[in-house]
Amino acid sequence: MPTAQAGILLPVPEQARYITFSLSNTAAMSDALHALRDLVDGENTVVGFGQTLTAALNANIPGLHSFPPITAPGLTIGITPEVVWIWLRGDDRGEILHRSRQICRALSPACALHDSVDAFKYAEGRDLSGYEDGTENPTGDAAISAAIVGQNNASLAGSSFVATQRWRHNFECFEALSEDAQDNAIGRRQSDNAELSDAPECAHVKRTAQESFSPEAFVLRRSMPWAEGNAGGLMFVAFGHSFDAFEAQLTRMVGLEDGITDALFNFTQPVSGAYYWCPPLKDGKLDLSPLGL
Ligand code: HEM
């Protein structure tokens, strides 16, 4: 029976690295992905494949497509190749580095490293703005049904679809806001994480309240802060049994539903966005059969 990659459902680790790849040689892809499969357990290393890869292999993963052009006015988002995405999870940066090098070597006949972003847990799981992130994530069976394709879809059971977006914060802009204005931008109080009953419509948690969509739009967020020098932000990562819930949330955040833009955009902006399909495991290894391999 296929099972989900366990790292999707586990809490975020202390340390992580996200690596993405572009396509360099399709003819070598089958061997490269088999070599990758031997290195991946789905728990410490979570893997996703994008639309560019499936197209190159002439494979069809129903529900997988490329990241949609949903952006706020004046915003442009960098293109990510959508070939291979890997989330390396752990608690030791040195071990993660060496695992990352091993994976790059295994994929190198077919894929070139596009981007590598180191991420970490901040305090007990906060965004770098200081707000707790993940409070309203579904848990237990609800997390599984939000994030993982069910057994009723025989060909993809145990898979997940992940939306990734790298956001860069403007810390000066955020710090220039009063404490009240910061709380109103999120819709929660930073001091005790309580939800504000009188938050404005542009507050982030009002924009994304999962139960307020029809149908309800639950995702499993596994985002982590990143930093490079004094720059930093959030690597937003949301797993779903499809991309529909994420797309409904993002559409409302950018104001396409009612003209109201999420207050987050006043101090942070997405700089990239990509979609991937995370295959299930079969006998403890990535199941590459939906790719025809
Ligand atoms: C820099 C970008 C972002 C930051 C700093 C951020 C931060 C937060 C924080 C602090 C919360 C409240 C606590 C919680 O329930 O987790 C929250 C909730 C949430 N965020 Fe974000 N978020 C970001 C981007 C996004 C994006 C792009 C989406 C989806 C398109 C999203 C979807 C959600 C959802 C679904 C909730 C829970 C809403 C609810 O049901 O109450 N977030 N976010």
Side-chain angles (χ1 to χ4, degrees):
M1 182 136 91
T3 53
Q5 296 185 53
I8 297 171
L9 296 165
L10 290 171
V12 293
E14 293 296 322
Q15 302 288 338
R17 171 175 286 197
Y18 299 94
I19 47 180
T20 58
F21 294 84
S22 59
L23 189 60
S24 56
N25 180 6
T26 306
M29 189 57 82
S30 174
D31 286 350
L33 293 184
H34 283 100
L36 174 71
R37 186 175 62 175
D38 289 338
L39 297 174
V40 167
D41 62 359
E43 180 171 332
N44 292 315
T45 308
V46 175
V47 174
F49 299 127
Q51 154 88 24
T52 308
L53 176 71
T54 55
L57 294 173
N58 288 321
N60 177 32
I61 304 294
L64 176 65
H65 52 90
S66 55
F67 195 87
I70 306 174
T71 71
L75 264 188
T76 45
I77 294 184
I79 304 289
T80 304
E82 297 184 320
V83 176
V84 179
W85 170 84
I86 297 183
W87 178 26
L88 298 148
R89 303 157 36 82
D91 50 23
D92 181 331
R93 288 187 68 178
E95 183 277 323
I96 289 176
L97 166 77
H98 289 305
R99 193 158 19 117
S100 165
R101 292 178 52 245
Q102 217 182 358
I103 287 171
C104 288
R105 203 177 314 125
L107 285 176
S108 65
C111 300
L113 182 65
H114 171 74
D115 197 21
S116 173
V117 179
D118 285 340
F120 51 91
K121 191 166 165 184
Y122 174 43
E124 64 278 69
R126 292 177 186 258
D127 171 64
L128 289 171
S129 59
Y131 288 83
E132 282 184 34
D133 192 17
T135 312
E136 290 294 335
N137 257 335
T139 56
D141 285 349
I144 295 173
S145 66
I148 310 296
V149 177
Q151 301 297 331
N152 54 344
N153 182 343
S155 62
L156 292 185
S159 328
S160 183
F161 292 88
V162 65
T164 69
Q165 253 187 330
R166 185 177 184 178
W167 290 70
R168 183 184 293 268
H169 292 357
N170 184 330
F171 294 113
E172 286 71 29
C173 263
F174 184 69
E175 287 156 3
L177 299 173
S178 67
E179 198 179 312
D180 272 0
Q182 292 180 349
D183 287 352
N184 278 328
I186 299 294
R188 284 185 178 270
R189 242 186 342 247
Q190 189 181 144
S191 58
D192 62 1
N193 199 29
E195 197 165 348
L196 303 180
S197 52
D198 56 352
E201 282 307 312
C202 62
H204 179 54
V205 303
K206 281 280 204 94
R207 296 280 89 197
T208 53
Q210 295 159 103
E211 283 165 353
S212 70
F213 293 85
S214 177
E216 291 183 343
F218 281 93
V219 291
L220 189 62
R221 287 169 292 133
R222 291 292 187 247
S223 311
M224 295 183 74
W226 62 270
E228 282 168 16
N230 283 337
L234 188 72
M235 186 60 91
F236 177 84
V237 171
F239 293 92
H241 57 71
S242 79
F243 294 121
D244 294 352
F246 168 77
E247 276 174 27
Q249 292 166 10
L250 190 61
T251 300
R252 196 188 277 168
M253 280 177 69
V254 302
L256 287 174
E257 205 178 286
D258 54 9
I260 300 172
T261 309
D262 195 309
L264 274 186
F265 286 102
N266 295 331
F267 71 89
T268 184
Q269 294 203 332
V271 292
S272 67
Y275 276 175
Y276 302 92
W277 164 72
C278 302
L281 300 183
K282 204 166 147 191
D283 302 326
K285 294 205 165 191
L286 287 182
D287 181 7
L288 301 177
S289 64
L291 296 177
L293 300 177

